[in-house]
Amino acid sequence: MHTVDVILVCVAIALVLVMIAVLARQRQMLRTTGAVPLAVQRNNRWLYGIGRYDGAELRWYRALGVGTRPSRVLRRGHVELLDRRGITDAERGSLPASVVVVKCRADGETFQLAIGESAFTGFVSWLESSAPL
């Protein structure tokens, strides 16, 4: 075997191991209590991830990655639900048909979440269980 062949095989093995680590992380996170698949819209792109309820926080982790820190944290008393809608024709290629798109505001920023219907019910319950400000 040539040196280049050995390097290519090592790189391929490393890539496979990274993909396995990412998938194992996703699977482990979805198995924990309070975890839901959740997409966040950023710059007209939907980013997929996993939302985990942790007390008064909803922590969102990107689906692709090996990091252990959340990419976004929503604090229950700071989130305001503005609107709820189905997906548009333009979103059909990037979102499942069964999701609900929720427009929210937190800390002066307006954003959208795509969440399953039953997970939406849980999200609203979580928001309503906060103490009044």
Side-chain angles (χ1 to χ4, degrees):
M1 253 182 156
H2 292 92
T3 305
V4 173
D5 294 337
V6 171
I7 292 172
L8 288 176
V9 168
C10 290
V11 167
I13 290 172
L15 288 174
V16 168
L17 291 175
V18 167
M19 290 185 336
I20 289 171
V22 168
L23 291 174
R25 172 184 166 267
Q26 286 178 9
R27 188 176 178 120
Q28 183 272 333
M29 288 180 73
L30 281 171
R31 284 185 171 182
T32 60
T33 304
V36 293
L38 180 70
V40 175
Q41 189 177 38
R42 187 174 292 162
N43 299 329
N44 294 326
R45 281 186 43 215
W46 286 101
L47 303 174
Y48 295 95
I50 298 162
R52 288 178 55 193
Y53 294 102
D54 187 12
E57 293 180 341
L58 174 59
R59 298 175 180 184
W60 182 74
Y61 301 84
R62 288 191 65 156
L64 297 177
V66 292
T68 57
R69 288 185 160 176
S71 299
R72 182 172 194 135
V73 177
L74 300 175
R75 288 175 181 74
R76 182 172 34 208
H78 299 240
V79 179
E80 178 185 359
L81 184 63
L82 300 175
D83 191 23
R84 169 190 192 252
R85 65 174 176 82
I87 62 171
T88 63
D89 289 336
E91 295 169 331
R92 288 203 194 284
S94 55
L95 292 174
S98 61
V99 301
V100 175
V101 177
V102 182
K103 186 175 185 180
C104 298
R105 181 176 23 242
D107 301 322
E109 178 190 3
T110 302
F111 56 93
Q112 294 189 93
L113 305 173
I115 190 168
E117 185 69 42
S118 61
F120 170 71
T121 304
F123 178 69
V124 172
S125 296
W126 177 75
L127 286 176
E128 291 175 350
S129 69
S130 69
L133 294 176

